[in-house]
C-alpha cells in the first residue's frame, strides 16, 4: 500500500496485518523539470524544453523523477518485488489521483493495481476502503494535468516579462497574481480614502413607570442614539463618499459643535416612545468546517496563519483524529450525523437535539471536492478532554475547534426576541429629535451553548451570543433623558485583508481551491509581494508595479471572472465534458470563436506575450502615482533597481529613498513632504576643531554612523564610526561624534612593545594588543578604560567557546507547540525569537516592543516547517597529508569495475527516463480502464504535487 506521507503510513500500518507493507511516496515523485539541469539530454535542444511541455504535439508534458525522490522510488520498486498486489491509497482529490497515476507510470508494477480511498484514517475506514477498491479516475487526472500544464505555461511565459520590465527573479502565477491584485486593490482603496468627521448624540433614557406585567428584573434605563432631526436622517459613517469624504444628499451632517449645541437644547425635555417593534429572533447553527472556513476561524480565534492551520490539521488527519482536511464540502455522512446527535444528547440533553438531522448544502462557487466536511473521525466522536493527554497543545486547540463546530451543527436553533424602540422629544428651540435603540434577548441558546463564531477584524456586527436587554415599553410611555453626550466620529478606510479574510474573499470569487489557499498565502509573502504588519497583509511597492503591468497589458489573466471560469472548465474536464488538449490549445494558441476580450480571441497566451512585450513602458509600470503636492508637482513612487523611492516633479525633481517598512497608505502629502525635506547627505553636527573638517551623521546600510567630510581633491579615506546602541541619529551631538571618530583609542604599549587599543567591533567593544584581544563590558568603557586596567584584562585567560549569553531583549509567553517560554534576542543578523530549540528571525513589520505571543509562535512554526538549516561542510585543505592522497589513489584504483557497473545502471535509468516522455504503460492503461471509456489522447502523462505540507498546488 502506498500513501503520501510517512506519518500516514505509520498510522495505517497499525490497522493492517503483516500481509501489508505500507510505504510513503513522500508527496509527488515526478514533476515537470524545475530548470534546465533537470531536462534530460535528449530534449535539451528542443524549442519547448524550457517549458517542459511539448506545446506543438498535444501539450505533452515531460516528467522527470525529482532528485530528492529517487531514493524513495528505488525503495518502492524494491518493495514491489515481493508484493502480490499494489493498493494506491493517496488522497481522493484530483491531486491524489494524479499522484496515484504517476506511481503506476514510474513503478510499472506487474501485479494487480487497485485504487483505494477513504476520508478518515480509522481502522473501520481503512478496512472498508481496502475491501472496496476502485479504478483510477483518469478524468480527474486529466483535470489535474491541465491545471499543472496551464500553471507552467502561465508562469514560464509571463514571469520573464516581469524580469525584463520590473525586476529580476519575480514570478507570475495564475492564482498568486490574482491574490496579490486583491491585496493591492484594497491598499489602493485605503490610499484614495478621504476621512470625514461627523457627530451624533448618545443619551441615557430612564423609564418613569414600569409597564403593567413587566418583569421585576426589567432594566429601568438604556442607551439610544440620535437618528433623525426634524424628520431628516442624521448622517452616519456609511453616508460619506470614501473618495471625497463628502456626505450624501438628504442627510444632516452634524459636526461636534452642532451636536453639542443640540444636546444642550434637549437637556431636561421630556421624551415619549413613538414606536415599538418586537420580532422573534432565530439563528441557525453554522455549517461544519470546510478548508476555507477552518482557516478563517482558526485565524480569528487562534491567530494562526493559513499554513499553520493546515500543518496542524494534517497531523490530526494522519494520526486518525479528524477527517480529510482539504475539502469544500459541508456535508456530513449519516454516521457522522448520528455520532454528533448522540454526543449532543449525552452532553446537553434531549432538548438540544432537533427533531430532524441537519443537512448543509454547499454554497461555495465552483465547489468540486468529493469529501465530507472536516469533522472528528470515527463512528463515535472523542471529546477534546478524552484526547488532551495525547495531543500537543496546538493540536488540542484545533481539534477542540473542529469538535465544537461539528457538534453545534447538529443542535437546535438559538431563539429569542429582538426589540427596536424609537422615541422623540422637542428641543427648547422647537427641533424634533428622534432617538432609537435596539435590543436582543436570547431565551434558548441552542447551539450557542457549544459554539460561537468569531468576527473578522473591523466587522461592525456583534457576536451571535451578545444580548442587549431593553425595558418592556409601549407606545406613548414617558422617558426621562439624561447624559446626552455629543460624540465625534471619523470614517475609517476599508480594513486591510488578513489571511483569513483574504481566503474568504478568494472563496467568494471562486478563485483557488481548498488545497491551494495556504500555499498561496505563503507564496505571496515569500515572493515579497505582501508582508505582514501584525495580522494585516501589506502589499509592497513591487506588488504595485507588477499588478500595474498585468492589469494594463494582461488584464484578462488577472481578471477575477476569468480565473474563476478556469476552475469551471477544469470541472468540466474532470467530469469528461471537455478535452484537455482542446482547452489548452485555445488558451495558448488562441481561437477565433473565443469570447470578446478573452485570451483565446486575443490570439492566445503565446501571442499576447510576444505582442505586448515591446509595448510595455518599463518606467511607466514602475511608477505608482500618488498625488500633486503643494507645488503642483506630480508625486510618484518609483520601483528602482535598489528599491522604491519617491520622486516629485519629474525625472529632474526631488527624490528620496523610502524606508523599508513604510506602509503605502501612510504616504500622505505631509509624510512625503517630511521625507523629501530630509537631507540626503545627512545631518551636519559641526566642525572638528582639530582637522577643520565638517562632521555629519548619516543613515547607512548597516545602521547610522558619523563621518567627516573631506575637502575636494583629498583622496584619503575619511574617518567613520558607528553609533553606539544608546545613541540615535537625531540626538547625537558633535561631542559624541568626535569621540566615535577617535576610535580606535591608543592606550599604551605592552612590555614587548605591542600597541594596546580600545576598539568597537562587530561583536562589541574589546581591547587588542597584537594578536591578543579581550572583550570588555560596555561601549562607554572604550573612553574610560586605562592602560593598567587594559593590561589586567589582557592578562586574564581567553574565554573558550561561546561568550556569555546576552540578556534577552524581551521575554514573551509560552510557545503553543513546544510549550517552552519564548524570548527575543539580538543575533548576528538582527533580532530573533527563540523557544530554546528553534530560532526564527523577526520579519519586516515585526517590532520587538509590540510583537505578540501568537505572532512569535507563528514565526517559530513557519521555521520548523522549513526544516533544519543545511550546514555547509568546509572542504579539507588541499595540502594536507600526502599519505592520504596516496590512499585515495589506491582506493580509486580498486574501483573501476564497480564504477563501470554503476555507470551502466545509471545510464540505463537515465535513458529510460528520457526516452519514455509520456507514453502510457500497459499497467496504467489496465488500471485506468473503465466500463465505458471516454475517448482519450493516445500519449499522455499525468501531473505531480509538492512535498509534505506544501504538497498542494505549488504552481499557483
Amino acid at each position: 500500500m502506498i500513501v503520501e506521507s510517512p506519518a500516514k503510513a505509520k498510522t495505517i500500518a497499525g490497522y493492517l496485518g503483516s500481509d501489508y507493507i505500507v510505504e510513503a511516496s513522500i508527496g509527488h515523485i515526478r514533476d515537470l523539470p524545475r530548470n534546465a539541469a533537470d531536462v534530460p539530454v535528449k530534449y535539451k535542444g528542443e524549442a519547448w524544453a524550457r517549458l517542459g511541455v511539448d506545446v506543438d504535439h498535444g501539450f505533452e508534458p515531460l516528467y522527470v523523477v525529482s532528485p530528492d525522490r529517487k531514493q524513495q522510488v528505488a525503495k518502492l520498486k524494491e518493495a514491489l518485488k515481493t508484493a502480490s498486489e499494489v493498493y494506491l491509497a493517496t488522497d481522493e482529490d484530483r491531486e491524489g489521483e494524479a499522484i496515484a497515476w504517476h506511481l503506476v507510470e514510474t513503478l510499472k508494477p506487474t501485479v494487480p493495481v487497485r485504487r483505494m480511498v477513504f476520508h478518515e484514517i480509522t481502522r473501520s475506514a481503512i478496512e472498508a476502503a481496502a475491501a472496496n477498491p476502485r479504478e483510477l479516475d483518469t478524468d480527474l487526472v486529466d483535470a489535474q494535468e491541465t491545471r499543472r500544464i496551464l500553471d507552467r505555461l502561465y508562469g514560464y511565459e509571463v514571469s520573464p516579462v516581469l524580469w525584463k520590465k520590473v525586476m529580476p527573479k519575480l514570478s507570475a502565477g495564475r492564482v498568486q497574481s490574482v491574490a496579490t491584485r486583491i491585496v493591492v486593490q484594497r491598499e489602493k482603496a485605503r490610499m484614495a480614502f478621504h476621512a470625514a468627521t461627523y457627530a451624533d448624540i448618545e443619551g441615557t433614557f430612564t423609564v418613569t413607570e414600569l409597564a403593567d406585567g413587566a418583569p421585576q428584573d426589567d432594566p429601568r434605563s438604556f442607551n439610544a442614539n440620535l437618528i433623525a432631526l426634524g424628520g431628516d436622517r442624521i448622517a452616519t459613517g456609511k453616508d460619506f463618499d470614501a473618495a471625497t469624504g463628502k456626505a450624501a444628499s438628504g442627510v444632516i451632517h452634524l459636526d461636534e459643535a452642532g451636536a453639542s449645541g443640540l444636546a444642550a437644547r434637549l437637556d431636561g425635555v421630556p421624551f415619549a416612545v413613538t414606536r415599538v417593534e418586537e420580532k422573534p429572533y432565530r439563528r441557525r447553527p453554522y455549517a461544519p468546517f470546510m478548508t476555507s472556513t477552518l482557516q478563517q476561524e482558526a485565524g480569528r480565534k487562534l491567530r494562526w496563519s493559513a499554513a499553520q492551520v493546515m500543518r496542524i490539521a494534517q497531523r490530526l488527519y494522519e494520526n486518525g483524529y479528524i477527517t480529510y482536511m482539504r475539502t469544500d464540502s459541508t456535508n456530513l455522512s449519516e454516521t457522522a450525523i448520528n455520532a454528533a446527535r448522540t454526543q449532543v444528547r449525552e452532553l446537553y440533553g434531549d432538548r438540544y437535539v432537533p427533531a430532524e438531522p441537519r443537512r448543509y448544502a454547499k454554497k461555495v462557487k465552483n465547489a468540486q471536492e468529493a469529501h465530507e466536511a472536516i469533522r472528528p473521525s470515527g463512528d463515535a466522536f472523542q471529546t477534546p478532554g478524552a484526547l488532551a493527554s495525547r495531543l500537543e497543545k496546538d493540536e488540542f486547540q484545533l481539534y477542540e475547534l473542529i469538535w465544537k463546530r461539528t457538534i453545534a451543527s447538529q443542535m437546535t436553533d438559538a431563539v429569542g426576541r429582538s426589540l427596536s424602540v424609537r422615541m422623540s422629544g422637542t428641543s427648547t428651540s422647537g427641533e424634533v429629535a428622534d432617538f432609537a435603540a435596539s435590543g436582543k434577548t436570547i431565551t434558548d441558546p441552542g447551539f450557542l451553548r457549544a459554539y460561537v463564531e468569531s468576527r473578522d477584524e473591523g466587522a461592525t456586527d456583534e457576536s451571535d451570543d451578545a444580548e442587549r436587554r431593553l425595558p418592556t415599553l409601549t407606545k406613548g410611555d414617558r422617558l426621562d433623558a439624561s447624559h446626552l453626550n455629543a460624540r465625534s466620529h471619523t470614517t475609517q478606510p476599508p480594513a486591510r485583508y488578513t489571511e483569513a479574510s483574504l481566503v474568504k474573499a478568494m472563496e467568494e470569487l471562486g478563485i483557488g481551491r481548498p488545497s491551494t489557499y495556504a500555499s498561496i498565502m505563503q507564496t505571496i509573502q515569500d515572493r515579497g509581494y505582501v508582508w505582514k504588519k501584525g495580522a494585516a497583509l501589506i502589499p509592497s511597492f513591487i506588488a504595485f508595479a507588477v499588478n500595474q503591468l498585468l492589469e494594463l497589458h494582461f488584464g484578462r489573466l488577472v481578471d477575477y471572472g476569468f480565473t474563476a471560469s478556469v476552475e469551471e472548465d477544469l470541472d468540466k474536464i474532470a467530469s469528461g465534458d471537455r478535452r484537455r488538449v482542446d482547452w489548452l490549445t485555445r488558451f495558448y494558441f488562441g481561437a477565433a470563436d473565443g469570447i470578446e476580450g478573452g485570451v483565446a480571441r486575443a490570439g492566445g497566451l503565446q501571442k499576447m506575450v510576444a505582442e505586448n512585450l515591446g509595448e510595455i513602458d518599463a518606467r511607466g509600470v514602475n511608477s505608482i502615482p500618488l498625488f500633486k503636492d503643494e507645488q503642483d508637482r506630480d508625486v510618484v513612487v518609483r520601483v528602482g533597481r535598489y528599491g522604491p523611492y519617491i520622486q516629485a516633479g519629474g525625472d529632474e525633481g526631488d527624490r528620496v529613498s523610502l524606508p523599508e517598512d513604510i506602509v503605502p497608505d501612510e504616504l500622505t502629502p505631509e509624510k512625503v513632504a517630511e521625507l523629501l525635506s530630509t537631507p540626503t547627505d545627512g545631518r551636519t553636527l559641526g566642525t572638528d576643531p582639530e582637522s577643520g573638517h565638517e562632521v555629519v551623521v548619516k543613515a547607512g546600510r548597516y545602521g547610522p554612523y558619523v563621518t567627516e567630510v573631506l575637502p575636494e581633491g583629498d583622496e584619503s579615506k575619511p574617518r567613520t564610526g558607528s553609533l553606539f546602541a544608546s545613541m540615535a541619529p537625531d540626538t547625537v551631538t558633535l561631542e559624541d561624534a568626535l569621540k566615535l571618530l577617535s576610535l580606535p583609542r591608543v592606550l599604551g604599549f605592552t612590555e614587548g612593545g605591542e600597541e594596546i587599543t580600545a576598539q568597537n567591533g562587530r561583536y562589541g567593544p574589546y581591547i587588542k594588543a597584537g594578536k591578543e584581544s579581550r572583550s570588555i563590558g560596555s561601549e562607554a568603557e572604550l573612553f574610560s578604560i586605562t592602560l593598567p586596567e587594559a593590561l589586567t584584562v589582557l592578562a586574564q585567560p581567553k574565554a573558550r567557546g561561546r561568550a556569555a549569553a546576552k540578556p534577552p531583549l524581551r521575554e514573551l509567553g509560552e510557545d503553543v507547540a513546544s510549550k517552552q517560554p519564548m524570548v527575543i534576542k539580538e543575533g548576528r543578523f538582527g533580532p530573533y525569537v527563540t523557544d530554546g530549540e528553534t530560532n526564527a528571525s523577526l520579519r519586516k513589520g515585526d517590532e520587538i516592543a509590540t510583537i505578540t505571543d501568537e505572532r512569535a509562535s507563528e514565526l517559530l512554526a513557519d521555521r520548523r516547517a522549513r526544516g533544519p538549516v543545511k550546514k555547509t561542510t568546509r572542504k579539507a585543505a588541499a595540502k594536507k597529508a600526502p599519505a592520504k592522497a596516496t590512499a585515495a589513489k589506491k582506493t580509486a584504483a580498486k574501483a573501476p569495475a564497480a564504477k563501470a557497473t554503476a555507470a551502466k545502471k545509471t545510464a540505463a535509468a537515465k535513458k529510460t527516463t528520457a526516452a519514455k516522455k509520456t507514453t502510457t504503460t500497459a499497467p496504467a492503461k489496465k488500471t485506468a480502464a473503465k466500463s465505458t471509456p471516454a475517448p482519450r489522447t493516445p500519449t499522455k502523462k499525468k501531473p505531480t504535487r509538492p512535498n509534505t505540507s506544501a504538497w498542494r498546488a505549488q504552481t499557483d
Side-chain angles (χ1 to χ4, degrees), residues 207 274 340 393 432 625 659 666 795 840 864:
V207 178
T274 58
K393 183 178 178 180
V432 178
E666 291 177 358
R864 291 188 197 100

Side-chain angles (χ1 to χ4, degrees), residues 299-329:
R300 291 186 290 245
K301 273 189 163 61
L302 305 176
R303 300 293 179 182
W304 290 353
S305 67
Q308 187 177 359
V309 175
M310 296 311 289
R311 279 197 302 272
I312 298 165
Q314 180 97 26
R315 295 207 304 263
L316 289 173
Y317 166 66
E318 291 177 343
N319 287 297
Y321 295 118
I322 64 170
T323 53
Y324 190 57
M325 66 292 164
R326 295 186 181 93
T327 174
D328 54 13
S329 172

Side-chain angles (χ1 to χ4, degrees), residues 332-390:
L332 290 177
S333 66
E334 290 300 321
T335 300
I337 290 174
N338 292 334
R341 288 169 63 85
T342 299
Q343 203 154 56
V344 171
R345 187 174 289 109
E346 292 171 351
L347 296 175
Y348 298 101
D350 289 336
R351 63 185 294 263
Y352 286 96
V353 182
E356 296 293 330
R358 294 189 182 276
R359 306 185 192 282
Y360 296 88
K362 291 185 281 189
K363 295 182 179 179
V364 179
K365 187 176 182 181
N366 299 336
Q368 71 181 15
E369 307 297 345
H371 314 121
E372 270 194 87
I374 304 169
R375 62 165 176 87
S377 60
D379 298 339
F381 299 160
Q382 299 183 79
T383 63
L387 296 176
S389 61
R390 284 182 270 167

Side-chain angles (χ1 to χ4, degrees), residues 617-654:
D617 173 16
R619 190 162 184 78
V621 298
N622 285 289
S623 299
I624 298 101
L626 296 180
F627 45 75
K628 284 186 177 291
D629 64 7
E630 292 180 349
Q631 304 174 44
D632 201 35
R633 299 180 300 178
D634 289 319
V635 179
V636 299
V637 172
R638 297 196 197 280
V639 176
R641 184 177 179 184
Y642 302 106
Y645 61 93
I646 287 177
Q647 188 150 40
D651 293 347
E652 302 303 320
D654 297 336

Side-chain angles (χ1 to χ4, degrees), residues 219-444:
R220 296 294 300 271
S221 62
F222 60 97
N223 292 335
N225 296 321
L226 176 69
I227 61 166
L229 188 63
D232 292 324
R233 192 165 58 83
I234 298 296
T236 61
K238 64 183 180 182
D239 294 312
F240 293 88
D241 185 89
T244 63
K246 294 181 179 179
S249 59
V251 295
I252 297 175
H253 180 189
L254 275 182
D255 58 18
E256 189 170 10
S260 297
L262 178 60
R265 295 191 296 275
L266 289 170
D267 188 27
V269 305
F271 279 78
V273 175
T274 58
R275 188 170 67 194
V276 178
E277 287 185 3
E278 183 173 348
K279 296 179 181 177
Y281 167 80
R282 182 173 292 274
R283 178 68 169 87
R284 286 175 55 83
Y286 322 104
F289 280 131
M290 53 186 175
T291 303
S292 60
T293 51
L294 177 63
Q295 290 174 3
Q296 292 165 40
E297 188 69 346
R300 291 186 290 245
K301 273 189 163 61
L302 305 176
R303 300 293 179 182
W304 290 353
S305 67
Q308 187 177 359
V309 175
M310 296 311 289
R311 279 197 302 272
I312 298 165
Q314 180 97 26
R315 295 207 304 263
L316 289 173
Y317 166 66
E318 291 177 343
N319 287 297
Y321 295 118
I322 64 170
T323 53
Y324 190 57
M325 66 292 164
R326 295 186 181 93
T327 174
D328 54 13
S329 172
T330 56
N331 179 55
L332 290 177
S333 66
E334 290 300 321
T335 300
I337 290 174
N338 292 334
R341 288 169 63 85
T342 299
Q343 203 154 56
V344 171
R345 187 174 289 109
E346 292 171 351
L347 296 175
Y348 298 101
D350 289 336
R351 63 185 294 263
Y352 286 96
V353 182
E356 296 293 330
R358 294 189 182 276
R359 306 185 192 282
Y360 296 88
K362 291 185 281 189
K363 295 182 179 179
V364 179
K365 187 176 182 181
N366 299 336
Q368 71 181 15
E369 307 297 345
H371 314 121
E372 270 194 87
I374 304 169
R375 62 165 176 87
S377 60
D379 298 339
F381 299 160
Q382 299 183 79
T383 63
L387 296 176
S389 61
R390 284 182 270 167
L391 298 177
E392 296 292 334
K393 183 178 178 180
D394 52 3
E395 294 172 342
F396 176 85
Q397 288 175 303
L398 193 61
Y399 180 84
E400 184 180 42
L401 196 66
I402 294 168
W403 178 83
K404 285 182 175 180
R405 180 85 165 216
T406 308
I407 294 298
S409 74
Q410 292 301 317
M411 293 177 71
T412 54
D413 295 346
V415 296
R417 68 187 186 105
S418 60
L419 184 68
S420 61
V421 179
R422 190 160 178 167
M423 61 226 70
S424 180
T426 304
S427 72
T428 54
S429 59
E431 302 149 303
V432 178
D434 293 323
F435 285 73
S438 60
K440 180 179 74 178
T441 304
I442 298 175
T443 56
D444 184 351

Side-chain angles (χ1 to χ4, degrees), residues 454-536:
S454 297
R455 294 290 182 265
D456 287 322
E457 291 183 17
T460 56
D461 55 332
E462 59 187 12
S463 174
D464 287 328
D465 64 342
E467 287 189 281
R468 186 184 180 201
R469 293 187 64 194
L470 294 179
T472 302
L473 297 169
T474 58
K475 185 176 180 180
D477 285 352
R478 298 292 176 180
L479 302 171
D480 289 335
S482 60
H483 304 100
L484 292 170
N485 299 318
R487 300 181 306 172
S488 181
H489 307 276
T490 302
T491 56
Q492 298 298 314
R496 286 194 179 92
Y497 285 108
T498 61
E499 287 196 9
S501 58
L502 181 56
V503 166
K504 183 178 181 181
M506 292 173 64
E507 178 188 68
E508 290 171 349
L509 291 167
I511 295 168
R513 276 289 172 263
S515 59
T516 67
Y517 293 135
S519 63
I520 291 302
M521 297 302 110
Q522 194 63 48
T523 297
I524 61 178
Q525 293 176 64
D526 292 344
R527 297 285 189 267
Y529 293 143
V530 169
W531 55 282
K532 277 187 175 180
K533 187 173 184 180

